[in-house]
């Protein structure tokens, strides 16, 4: 049984300004374990908010920040209801410079503000939280688990990009700081995370003794979880939901029974 949820727009103070965000929680009595959801490059929109709603319906308080807030409030670019291959070039012409401006240092600083907002939320339970991210958001989720090990109990990333590159600031290089349990759902048709990076990430996590499980979803493309895009794969998306909610259930058990 899923819980009824309530969502609203909120503002998050950060060292560099104010980030707009979507906050959703069960309508039943809380508090509920917190989850930070990192967006993909297309940003906050009804489809992504709906994904946060589904997590909240399982018994969590979920925060989805606009990580591009320095460039403006949502939406940075007007999106069609369905993002097809023909719309992507024009969208990324606007979005790519903003993505590149979000340096690892800024991302980690912002993550502290997002974690503080969840910690201050009456509907969010005290203690460590879960983090999940999609596409570019998977890298942000991994960086958050590295930078705030005492505040993150579980981290999931789906069709992540550049998670284990040869760059000196690649997020996998901080694996030895992670204390959370991790799950990755990679897409095997994904130029943003080729096999050599999947292997490099696996080795880094294994060598660091990180509790983790990674799977490559056969036939899935980059963005397979996003129902409002042409990359969507319904079967792979449902597989991701099972893996994500299983991870959160292990690391952050809910009070759904008491709430019901």
């Amino acid at each position: 049984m899923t819980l009824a949820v309530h969502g609203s727009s909120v503002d998050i103070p950060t060292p560099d300004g104010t980030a707009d965000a979507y906050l959703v929680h069960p309508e039943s009595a809380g508090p509920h374990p917190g989850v930070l959801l990192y967006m993909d490059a297309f940003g906050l929109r009804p489809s992504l908010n709906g994904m946060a709603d589904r997590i909240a319906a399982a018994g969590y308080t979920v925060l989805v920040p606009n990580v591009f807030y320095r460039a403006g409030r949502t939406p940075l670019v007007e999106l069609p209801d369905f993002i097809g291959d023909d719309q992507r070039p024009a969208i990324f012409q606007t979005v790519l410079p903003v993505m590149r401006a979000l340096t690892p240092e800024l991302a980690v600083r912002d993550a502290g503000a997002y974690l503080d907002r969840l910690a201050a939320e009456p509907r969010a339970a005290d203690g460590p939280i879960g983090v999940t991210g999609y596409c570019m958001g998977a890298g942000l989720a991994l960086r958050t688990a590295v930078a705030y090990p005492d505040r993150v109990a579980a981290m999931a990333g789906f069709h992540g990009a550049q998670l284990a590159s040869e760059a000196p600031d690649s997020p996998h290089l901080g694996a030895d700081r992670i204390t959370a349990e991790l799950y990755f759902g990679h897409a095997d048709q994904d130029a943003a995370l080729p096999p050599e990076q999947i292997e490099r990430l696996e080795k880094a996590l294994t060598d660091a003794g990180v509790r983790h499980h990674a799977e490559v979803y056969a036939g899935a493309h980059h963005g397979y979880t996003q129902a409002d895009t042409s990359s969507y794969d319904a079967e792979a998306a449902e597989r991701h939901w099972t893996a994500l909610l299983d991870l959160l259930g292990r690391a952050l058990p809910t009070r759904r029974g008491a709430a019901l």
Side-chain angles (χ1 to χ4, degrees):
M1 181 182 295
T2 58
L3 304 176
V5 302
H6 175 75
S8 61
S9 296
V10 298
D11 284 343
I12 305 171
T14 79
D16 298 320
T18 300
D20 53 304
Y22 179 68
L23 177 72
V24 58
H25 53 77
E27 291 183 348
S28 55
H32 308 277
V35 174
L36 175 60
L37 190 161
Y38 280 114
M39 64 187 224
D40 62 353
F42 295 128
L44 273 65
R45 58 196 191 279
S47 180
L48 194 70
N49 292 354
M51 295 177 73
D53 291 349
R54 183 162 175 175
I55 299 172
Y60 300 92
T61 293
V62 186
L63 182 67
V64 192
N66 167 24
V67 303
F68 295 156
Y69 70 89
R70 290 178 181 83
R73 298 180 69 88
T74 302
L76 290 184
V77 57
E78 293 297 329
L79 298 173
D81 292 336
F82 182 82
I83 303 169
D85 293 340
D86 53 339
Q87 284 100 9
R88 289 174 184 265
I91 294 170
F92 276 101
Q93 187 174 3
T94 298
V95 170
L96 275 175
V98 182
M99 291 176 61
R100 290 169 179 153
L102 183 60
T103 65
E105 293 76 17
L106 292 178
V108 167
R109 191 159 73 206
D110 289 344
Y114 305 151
L115 293 171
D116 287 346
R117 178 61 179 82
L118 267 176
E121 172 56 44
R123 293 278 191 160
D126 294 337
I129 68 159
V131 184
T132 186
Y134 300 88
C135 303
M136 61 166 282
L140 297 176
L142 182 55
R143 292 190 190 280
T144 300
V146 169
Y148 301 94
D150 57 331
R151 303 180 73 174
V152 178
M155 179 252 131
F158 299 95
H159 44 82
Q162 301 299 314
L163 298 179
S165 72
E166 295 182 329
D169 57 2
S170 178
H172 79 288
L173 296 175
D176 60 343
R177 297 185 57 193
I178 296 171
T179 60
E181 180 180 354
L182 272 54
Y183 176 87
F184 291 96
H186 305 306
D188 73 346
Q189 306 293 311
D190 193 349
L193 195 73
E196 60 269 22
Q197 287 203 38
I198 293 176
E199 293 172 7
R200 190 178 294 132
L201 176 62
E202 178 65 25
K203 184 178 188 305
L205 295 175
T206 299
D207 289 351
V210 177
R211 292 169 297 155
H212 73 283
H213 183 59
E215 299 179 291
V216 177
Y217 291 19
H221 292 259
H222 186 77
Y224 65 80
T225 62
Q226 304 301 305
D228 60 345
T229 77
S230 55
S231 299
Y232 181 65
D233 182 318
E235 182 177 352
E238 284 306 309
R239 181 178 174 184
H240 125 271
W241 281 117
T242 298
L244 174 59
L245 294 177
D246 282 352
L247 172 67
L248 294 177
R250 287 192 302 274
L252 300 165
T254 70
R255 298 176 62 251
R256 289 180 64 191
L260 294 172

Short mmCIF file of all heavy atoms in Angstrom, two decimals, residues 83-134:
data_model
loop_
_atom_site.label_atom_id
_atom_site.label_comp_id
_atom_site.label_asym_id
_atom_site.label_seq_id
_atom_site.Cartn_x
_atom_site.Cartn_y
_atom_site.Cartn_z
N ILE A 83 10.17 15.05 -24.31
CA ILE A 83 11.45 15.49 -24.85
C ILE A 83 11.95 14.43 -25.82
O ILE A 83 12.44 13.37 -25.42
CB ILE A 83 12.47 15.73 -23.72
CG1 ILE A 83 11.92 16.74 -22.72
CG2 ILE A 83 13.80 16.21 -24.31
CD1 ILE A 83 12.74 16.84 -21.44
N GLY A 84 11.82 14.72 -27.10
CA GLY A 84 12.28 13.81 -28.13
C GLY A 84 13.70 14.12 -28.57
O GLY A 84 14.29 15.14 -28.18
N ASP A 85 14.24 13.26 -29.40
CA ASP A 85 15.61 13.45 -29.87
C ASP A 85 15.79 14.76 -30.63
O ASP A 85 16.85 15.38 -30.56
CB ASP A 85 16.02 12.28 -30.77
CG ASP A 85 16.13 10.97 -30.01
OD1 ASP A 85 16.26 11.01 -28.76
OD2 ASP A 85 16.06 9.91 -30.66
N ASP A 86 14.74 15.21 -31.29
CA ASP A 86 14.87 16.43 -32.09
C ASP A 86 14.91 17.68 -31.24
O ASP A 86 15.41 18.72 -31.67
CB ASP A 86 13.73 16.52 -33.11
CG ASP A 86 12.36 16.37 -32.48
OD1 ASP A 86 12.27 15.81 -31.36
OD2 ASP A 86 11.37 16.80 -33.10
N GLN A 87 14.39 17.60 -30.00
CA GLN A 87 14.43 18.78 -29.12
C GLN A 87 15.72 18.90 -28.32
O GLN A 87 16.05 19.97 -27.80
CB GLN A 87 13.26 18.74 -28.12
CG GLN A 87 11.92 19.11 -28.71
CD GLN A 87 11.09 17.89 -29.04
OE1 GLN A 87 11.46 16.78 -28.67
NE2 GLN A 87 9.99 18.09 -29.74
N ARG A 88 16.45 17.82 -28.18
CA ARG A 88 17.62 17.81 -27.30
C ARG A 88 18.69 18.84 -27.67
O ARG A 88 19.23 19.52 -26.77
CB ARG A 88 18.23 16.42 -27.25
CG ARG A 88 17.37 15.42 -26.50
CD ARG A 88 17.94 14.00 -26.60
NE ARG A 88 17.06 13.04 -25.96
CZ ARG A 88 17.18 12.61 -24.70
NH1 ARG A 88 18.18 13.08 -23.96
NH2 ARG A 88 16.33 11.75 -24.20
N PRO A 89 19.06 18.99 -28.95
CA PRO A 89 20.14 19.94 -29.25
C PRO A 89 19.86 21.36 -28.77
O PRO A 89 20.75 22.00 -28.20
CB PRO A 89 20.24 19.87 -30.78
CG PRO A 89 19.75 18.49 -31.13
CD PRO A 89 18.64 18.23 -30.15
N ALA A 90 18.65 21.84 -28.98
CA ALA A 90 18.34 23.21 -28.56
C ALA A 90 18.34 23.33 -27.04
O ALA A 90 18.80 24.34 -26.48
CB ALA A 90 16.97 23.62 -29.12
N ILE A 91 17.83 22.31 -26.35
CA ILE A 91 17.81 22.34 -24.89
C ILE A 91 19.23 22.35 -24.34
O ILE A 91 19.58 23.16 -23.47
CB ILE A 91 17.02 21.14 -24.34
CG1 ILE A 91 15.55 21.25 -24.73
CG2 ILE A 91 17.16 21.05 -22.82
CD1 ILE A 91 14.73 20.01 -24.44
N PHE A 92 20.08 21.47 -24.88
CA PHE A 92 21.44 21.38 -24.35
C PHE A 92 22.30 22.57 -24.73
O PHE A 92 23.30 22.85 -24.06
CB PHE A 92 22.09 20.07 -24.79
CG PHE A 92 21.74 18.92 -23.90
CD1 PHE A 92 20.77 18.01 -24.26
CD2 PHE A 92 22.38 18.76 -22.68
CE1 PHE A 92 20.43 16.95 -23.43
CE2 PHE A 92 22.06 17.72 -21.84
CZ PHE A 92 21.08 16.80 -22.21
N GLN A 93 21.93 23.31 -25.74
CA GLN A 93 22.66 24.54 -26.06
C GLN A 93 22.58 25.51 -24.88
O GLN A 93 23.53 26.25 -24.60
CB GLN A 93 22.08 25.18 -27.32
CG GLN A 93 22.88 26.37 -27.81
CD GLN A 93 22.37 26.89 -29.15
OE1 GLN A 93 21.39 26.40 -29.70
NE2 GLN A 93 23.04 27.89 -29.68
N THR A 94 21.45 25.51 -24.19
CA THR A 94 21.28 26.35 -23.01
C THR A 94 21.84 25.70 -21.76
O THR A 94 22.50 26.35 -20.92
CB THR A 94 19.79 26.66 -22.78
OG1 THR A 94 19.29 27.37 -23.91
CG2 THR A 94 19.58 27.48 -21.52
N VAL A 95 21.63 24.40 -21.62
CA VAL A 95 21.93 23.71 -20.37
C VAL A 95 23.41 23.39 -20.20
O VAL A 95 23.94 23.47 -19.08
CB VAL A 95 21.08 22.42 -20.27
CG1 VAL A 95 21.53 21.56 -19.10
CG2 VAL A 95 19.61 22.77 -20.13
N LEU A 96 24.10 23.04 -21.27
CA LEU A 96 25.49 22.59 -21.14
C LEU A 96 26.41 23.61 -20.45
O LEU A 96 27.19 23.23 -19.57
CB LEU A 96 26.06 22.20 -22.50
CG LEU A 96 25.76 20.77 -22.96
CD1 LEU A 96 26.27 20.54 -24.38
CD2 LEU A 96 26.38 19.75 -22.01
N PRO A 97 26.35 24.90 -20.80
CA PRO A 97 27.21 25.85 -20.09
C PRO A 97 26.90 25.91 -18.59
O PRO A 97 27.81 26.11 -17.77
CB PRO A 97 26.90 27.19 -20.78
CG PRO A 97 26.36 26.82 -22.12
CD PRO A 97 25.60 25.56 -21.90
N VAL A 98 25.65 25.74 -18.23
CA VAL A 98 25.26 25.77 -16.82
C VAL A 98 25.78 24.52 -16.11
O VAL A 98 26.26 24.59 -14.97
CB VAL A 98 23.73 25.87 -16.70
CG1 VAL A 98 23.32 25.96 -15.23
CG2 VAL A 98 23.20 27.09 -17.45
N MET A 99 25.70 23.38 -16.77
CA MET A 99 26.25 22.15 -16.21
C MET A 99 27.74 22.31 -15.94
O MET A 99 28.24 21.92 -14.87
CB MET A 99 26.01 20.98 -17.16
CG MET A 99 24.58 20.55 -17.30
SD MET A 99 24.37 19.23 -18.55
CE MET A 99 25.37 17.93 -17.85
N ARG A 100 28.45 22.85 -16.90
CA ARG A 100 29.91 22.99 -16.77
C ARG A 100 30.28 23.98 -15.67
O ARG A 100 31.37 23.88 -15.07
CB ARG A 100 30.50 23.40 -18.10
CG ARG A 100 30.43 22.29 -19.15
CD ARG A 100 30.76 22.78 -20.54
NE ARG A 100 30.71 21.70 -21.52
CZ ARG A 100 30.46 21.86 -22.81
NH1 ARG A 100 30.24 23.09 -23.29
NH2 ARG A 100 30.43 20.83 -23.63
N ALA A 101 29.42 24.94 -15.41
CA ALA A 101 29.69 25.93 -14.37
C ALA A 101 29.52 25.37 -12.97
O ALA A 101 30.02 25.95 -11.99
CB ALA A 101 28.79 27.15 -14.55
N LEU A 102 28.82 24.24 -12.85
CA LEU A 102 28.62 23.62 -11.54
C LEU A 102 29.83 22.74 -11.24
O LEU A 102 29.84 21.53 -11.50
CB LEU A 102 27.33 22.80 -11.53
CG LEU A 102 26.95 22.16 -10.18
CD1 LEU A 102 26.75 23.22 -9.12
CD2 LEU A 102 25.71 21.29 -10.34
N THR A 103 30.86 23.34 -10.68
CA THR A 103 32.10 22.64 -10.40
C THR A 103 31.92 21.67 -9.23
O THR A 103 30.97 21.82 -8.43
CB THR A 103 33.21 23.63 -10.05
OG1 THR A 103 32.85 24.30 -8.83
CG2 THR A 103 33.40 24.65 -11.16
N PRO A 104 32.81 20.69 -9.09
CA PRO A 104 32.71 19.81 -7.93
C PRO A 104 32.72 20.56 -6.60
O PRO A 104 31.99 20.19 -5.67
CB PRO A 104 33.95 18.92 -8.07
CG PRO A 104 34.20 18.86 -9.55
CD PRO A 104 33.85 20.24 -10.04
N GLU A 105 33.51 21.61 -6.51
CA GLU A 105 33.57 22.38 -5.26
C GLU A 105 32.22 23.03 -4.95
O GLU A 105 31.75 22.99 -3.81
CB GLU A 105 34.66 23.46 -5.36
CG GLU A 105 36.07 22.92 -5.43
CD GLU A 105 36.44 22.36 -6.80
OE1 GLU A 105 35.73 22.67 -7.79
OE2 GLU A 105 37.42 21.60 -6.88
N LEU A 106 31.60 23.62 -5.96
CA LEU A 106 30.28 24.23 -5.76
C LEU A 106 29.23 23.18 -5.43
O LEU A 106 28.36 23.39 -4.58
CB LEU A 106 29.87 25.02 -7.01
CG LEU A 106 30.68 26.26 -7.33
CD1 LEU A 106 30.18 26.90 -8.64
CD2 LEU A 106 30.62 27.28 -6.20
N ALA A 107 29.30 22.04 -6.11
CA ALA A 107 28.32 20.98 -5.88
C ALA A 107 28.39 20.48 -4.45
O ALA A 107 27.35 20.25 -3.81
CB ALA A 107 28.55 19.84 -6.86
N VAL A 108 29.58 20.30 -3.93
CA VAL A 108 29.74 19.82 -2.56
C VAL A 108 29.26 20.87 -1.56
O VAL A 108 28.61 20.55 -0.55
CB VAL A 108 31.20 19.42 -2.30
CG1 VAL A 108 31.46 19.22 -0.80
CG2 VAL A 108 31.54 18.15 -3.07
N ARG A 109 29.55 22.13 -1.84
CA ARG A 109 29.08 23.20 -0.95
C ARG A 109 27.56 23.25 -0.94
O ARG A 109 26.93 23.38 0.12
CB ARG A 109 29.67 24.54 -1.42
CG ARG A 109 29.46 25.67 -0.42
CD ARG A 109 30.45 26.77 -0.67
NE ARG A 109 30.15 27.54 -1.88
CZ ARG A 109 31.06 28.20 -2.59
NH1 ARG A 109 32.33 28.15 -2.24
NH2 ARG A 109 30.70 28.90 -3.65
N ASP A 110 26.97 23.14 -2.12
CA ASP A 110 25.51 23.13 -2.20
C ASP A 110 24.92 21.94 -1.46
O ASP A 110 23.87 22.06 -0.80
CB ASP A 110 25.06 23.06 -3.66
CG ASP A 110 25.30 24.35 -4.42
OD1 ASP A 110 25.54 25.40 -3.78
OD2 ASP A 110 25.26 24.31 -5.66
N ALA A 111 25.56 20.78 -1.57
CA ALA A 111 25.04 19.59 -0.92
C ALA A 111 24.89 19.80 0.58
O ALA A 111 23.92 19.32 1.19
CB ALA A 111 25.96 18.40 -1.19
N GLY A 112 25.82 20.52 1.18
CA GLY A 112 25.70 20.81 2.60
C GLY A 112 24.44 21.60 2.92
O GLY A 112 23.76 21.35 3.93
N ALA A 113 24.10 22.56 2.04
CA ALA A 113 22.88 23.35 2.24
C ALA A 113 21.63 22.48 2.08
O ALA A 113 20.66 22.62 2.82
CB ALA A 113 22.85 24.52 1.26
N TYR A 114 21.65 21.57 1.10
CA TYR A 114 20.49 20.69 0.89
C TYR A 114 20.31 19.76 2.09
O TYR A 114 19.18 19.54 2.55
CB TYR A 114 20.67 19.86 -0.38
CG TYR A 114 20.95 20.66 -1.63
CD1 TYR A 114 21.71 20.12 -2.68
CD2 TYR A 114 20.48 21.96 -1.78
CE1 TYR A 114 21.97 20.84 -3.82
CE2 TYR A 114 20.75 22.69 -2.94
CZ TYR A 114 21.50 22.13 -3.95
OH TYR A 114 21.76 22.85 -5.09
N LEU A 115 21.41 19.23 2.60
CA LEU A 115 21.33 18.36 3.77
C LEU A 115 20.83 19.13 4.99
O LEU A 115 20.04 18.61 5.79
CB LEU A 115 22.70 17.74 4.05
CG LEU A 115 23.21 16.75 3.00
CD1 LEU A 115 24.67 16.40 3.29
CD2 LEU A 115 22.36 15.50 2.97
N ASP A 116 21.28 20.37 5.13
CA ASP A 116 20.81 21.21 6.25
C ASP A 116 19.32 21.46 6.14
O ASP A 116 18.60 21.48 7.16
CB ASP A 116 21.56 22.53 6.28
CG ASP A 116 23.01 22.40 6.74
OD1 ASP A 116 23.36 21.33 7.28
OD2 ASP A 116 23.78 23.36 6.53
N ARG A 117 18.82 21.67 4.92
CA ARG A 117 17.38 21.92 4.74
C ARG A 117 16.56 20.70 5.14
O ARG A 117 15.52 20.82 5.79
CB ARG A 117 17.09 22.31 3.29
CG ARG A 117 15.61 22.54 2.99
CD ARG A 117 15.02 23.67 3.83
NE ARG A 117 13.61 23.92 3.56
CZ ARG A 117 12.61 23.23 4.08
NH1 ARG A 117 12.86 22.22 4.91
NH2 ARG A 117 11.36 23.54 3.80
N LEU A 118 17.04 19.52 4.77
CA LEU A 118 16.33 18.30 5.18
C LEU A 118 16.41 18.13 6.70
O LEU A 118 15.42 17.72 7.33
CB LEU A 118 16.93 17.08 4.49
CG LEU A 118 16.28 16.63 3.18
CD1 LEU A 118 17.06 15.47 2.58
CD2 LEU A 118 14.82 16.24 3.39
N ALA A 119 17.56 18.42 7.28
CA ALA A 119 17.72 18.27 8.72
C ALA A 119 16.79 19.20 9.49
O ALA A 119 16.34 18.89 10.60
CB ALA A 119 19.18 18.52 9.12
N ALA A 120 16.49 20.37 8.90
CA ALA A 120 15.62 21.34 9.56
C ALA A 120 14.13 21.09 9.30
O ALA A 120 13.28 21.74 9.89
CB ALA A 120 15.98 22.75 9.09
N GLU A 121 13.82 20.15 8.40
CA GLU A 121 12.44 19.89 8.01
C GLU A 121 11.73 19.05 9.07
O GLU A 121 12.15 17.93 9.38
CB GLU A 121 12.42 19.16 6.66
CG GLU A 121 11.07 18.66 6.22
CD GLU A 121 10.02 19.76 6.16
OE1 GLU A 121 10.34 20.86 5.65
OE2 GLU A 121 8.90 19.51 6.63
N PRO A 122 10.65 19.57 9.68
CA PRO A 122 9.95 18.81 10.72
C PRO A 122 9.44 17.45 10.25
O PRO A 122 9.32 16.51 11.05
CB PRO A 122 8.78 19.73 11.10
CG PRO A 122 9.23 21.11 10.71
CD PRO A 122 10.07 20.91 9.49
N ARG A 123 9.14 17.32 8.95
CA ARG A 123 8.63 16.05 8.42
C ARG A 123 9.73 15.05 8.11
O ARG A 123 9.45 13.92 7.72
CB ARG A 123 7.83 16.32 7.14
CG ARG A 123 6.55 17.08 7.37
CD ARG A 123 5.43 16.16 7.82
NE ARG A 123 4.14 16.83 7.80
CZ ARG A 123 2.98 16.19 7.77
NH1 ARG A 123 2.95 14.88 7.75
NH2 ARG A 123 1.85 16.87 7.77
N ALA A 124 10.98 15.46 8.27
CA ALA A 124 12.11 14.56 8.02
C ALA A 124 12.69 14.08 9.34
O ALA A 124 12.90 14.86 10.27
CB ALA A 124 13.19 15.25 7.20
N ALA A 125 12.95 12.78 9.42
CA ALA A 125 13.49 12.19 10.65
C ALA A 125 14.94 12.63 10.86
O ALA A 125 15.66 12.94 9.92
CB ALA A 125 13.40 10.67 10.57
N ASP A 126 15.34 12.64 12.12
CA ASP A 126 16.73 12.93 12.44
C ASP A 126 17.63 11.80 11.94
O ASP A 126 17.20 10.66 11.77
CB ASP A 126 16.91 13.07 13.95
CG ASP A 126 16.17 14.28 14.52
OD1 ASP A 126 15.92 15.23 13.75
OD2 ASP A 126 15.85 14.26 15.71
N GLY A 127 18.88 12.14 11.73
CA GLY A 127 19.84 11.11 11.36
C GLY A 127 20.17 11.10 9.89
O GLY A 127 19.69 11.94 9.11
N PRO A 128 21.00 10.15 9.47
CA PRO A 128 21.44 10.07 8.07
C PRO A 128 20.27 9.90 7.11
O PRO A 128 19.20 9.43 7.48
CB PRO A 128 22.36 8.84 8.06
CG PRO A 128 22.80 8.68 9.47
CD PRO A 128 21.64 9.12 10.31
N ILE A 129 20.52 10.27 5.86
CA ILE A 129 19.49 10.24 4.84
C ILE A 129 19.91 9.34 3.68
O ILE A 129 21.02 8.80 3.65
CB ILE A 129 19.20 11.65 4.30
CG1 ILE A 129 20.43 12.18 3.51
CG2 ILE A 129 18.85 12.61 5.43
CD1 ILE A 129 20.11 13.28 2.56
N GLY A 130 19.02 9.20 2.71
CA GLY A 130 19.34 8.54 1.45
C GLY A 130 19.51 9.58 0.36
O GLY A 130 18.91 10.66 0.41
N VAL A 131 20.34 9.28 -0.62
CA VAL A 131 20.56 10.17 -1.76
C VAL A 131 20.43 9.35 -3.03
O VAL A 131 20.98 8.25 -3.13
CB VAL A 131 21.96 10.83 -1.73
CG1 VAL A 131 22.12 11.81 -2.87
CG2 VAL A 131 22.21 11.50 -0.39
N THR A 132 19.70 9.86 -4.00
CA THR A 132 19.63 9.22 -5.31
C THR A 132 19.78 10.27 -6.39
O THR A 132 19.46 11.44 -6.19
CB THR A 132 18.31 8.43 -5.47
OG1 THR A 132 18.35 7.70 -6.70
CG2 THR A 132 17.10 9.36 -5.48
N GLY A 133 20.31 9.86 -7.54
CA GLY A 133 20.53 10.81 -8.62
C GLY A 133 20.46 10.14 -9.97
O GLY A 133 20.72 8.94 -10.11
N TYR A 134 20.13 10.95 -10.99
CA TYR A 134 19.90 10.48 -12.34
C TYR A 134 20.76 11.26 -13.33
O TYR A 134 20.85 12.49 -13.24
CB TYR A 134 18.41 10.62 -12.69
CG TYR A 134 17.55 9.83 -11.73
CD1 TYR A 134 17.11 10.38 -10.53
CD2 TYR A 134 17.25 8.49 -12.00
CE1 TYR A 134 16.37 9.63 -9.63
CE2 TYR A 134 16.50 7.74 -11.11
CZ TYR A 134 16.07 8.31 -9.93
OH TYR A 134 15.34 7.56 -9.02
#
